[in-house]
Amino acid sequence: MALTPTERDRLLLFTAAELARSRRARGLRLNVPEATALIADTVCEAARDGLRLAAAVERGRTALGPDEVLPGVADVVTEIQVEAVFEDGTRLAVVSSPFGDRPWDSGAPGAVIPASETVEGPEPAAALAVRNTATVPVSVTSHFHFFEANPRLDFDRAAAYGMRLAVPAGSSTRFEPGESVEVALVPIGGARIAIGFAGLVDGPLDAPGAKAEALRRAAACGYLGAERPRGEQS
């Protein structure tokens, strides 16, 4: 059976989550990878059941209590992000405080309070008009290949190829239903290899013919803006 890298990642997550559930059933407290996998899988399965984003996140948030994880896990895992497939497409689900409030949230003595200074994002290299045609909000994380973002986001896909949002690492941008906004983009750095995401590239971004093939796949899958000439506004 041929599986895409995204499908293989999903099966790996499910396997890790099943292991975590088995260990929890034996009365063991979970470590960081086990707890993360169980909560992320819970969100993905909630999406598969037809739940909306908010309900899926809430199901993930209530999947584990602080007494079900090893000491220190709740301090390390303060947020879990997972790309889940909802009825309207792949969307980012962010589960914050997955085991309940952290010490600094409740003002507990001795708590470590994070710095409040604003974290600057990278210097923008391009700007792109984006319109959310979906009936639900869509969020895109900082290092997601923007070309492969939710198919109901309408923008110039060709101009976004090989780019990501120019926002601080770990943050995300939210697009409300019917909203049209301008976003800043920067080229993806490092080895410039896109594996997973929506499966439109799954390889080196700058390989000969990679962009044309990715645009063909996007258009065939109904991604808005995939057939728009480069440079045309959304």
Side-chain angles (χ1 to χ4, degrees):
M1 179 174 64
L3 296 174
T4 66
T6 300
E7 291 168 335
R8 289 197 295 269
D9 288 344
R10 180 68 190 95
L11 287 176
L12 179 62
L13 175 62
F14 173 77
T15 301
E18 284 295 285
L19 176 62
R21 293 186 182 100
S22 174
R23 290 177 174 173
R24 182 177 63 169
R26 301 203 309 269
L28 299 177
R29 301 179 74 175
L30 305 184
N31 58 25
V32 169
E34 293 164 350
T36 301
L38 191 151
I39 292 173
D41 181 71
T42 298
V43 173
C44 289
E45 288 303 296
R48 184 66 178 85
D49 289 342
L51 270 64
R52 302 289 288 270
L53 177 61
V57 168
E58 185 58 29
R59 182 179 290 185
R61 183 175 289 115
T62 58
L64 285 174
D67 57 338
E68 295 180 289
V69 296
L70 290 169
V73 171
D75 296 324
V76 174
V77 185
T78 59
E79 183 179 272
I80 295 174
Q81 299 185 8
V82 60
E83 293 284 344
V85 181
F86 292 85
E87 291 183 348
D88 62 329
T90 301
R91 301 172 59 203
L92 176 71
V94 180
V95 183
S96 57
S97 299
F99 313 108
D101 291 340
R102 301 182 294 279
W104 54 78
D105 292 327
S106 58
V112 177
I113 302 176
S116 59
E117 290 83 358
T118 300
V119 178
E120 297 293 336
E123 188 68 25
L128 204 61
V130 181
R131 181 169 62 92
N132 180 12
T133 68
T135 57
V136 295
V138 174
S139 293
V140 182
T141 51
S142 59
H143 282 65
F144 195 92
H145 183 203
F146 201 74
F147 170 84
E148 302 182 65
N150 192 293
R152 305 321 301 167
L153 292 180
D154 188 11
F155 60 89
D156 186 347
R157 299 274 169 178
Y161 184 83
M163 310 283 277
R164 67 174 183 86
L165 288 168
V167 296
S171 62
S172 62
T173 297
R174 179 183 173 100
F175 302 91
E176 297 295 336
E179 181 181 48
S180 294
V181 299
E182 184 174 276
V183 299
L185 302 176
V186 294
I188 292 175
R192 287 182 58 76
I193 296 177
I195 297 294
F197 300 114
L200 298 179
V201 181
D202 283 334
L205 287 162
D206 302 321
K211 181 175 181 179
E213 175 61 17
L215 282 166
R216 186 195 66 78
R217 292 180 182 178
C221 293
Y223 279 72
L224 295 178
E227 296 180 335
R228 181 178 295 112
R230 183 178 178 87
E232 181 179 331
Q233 295 297 315
S234 298

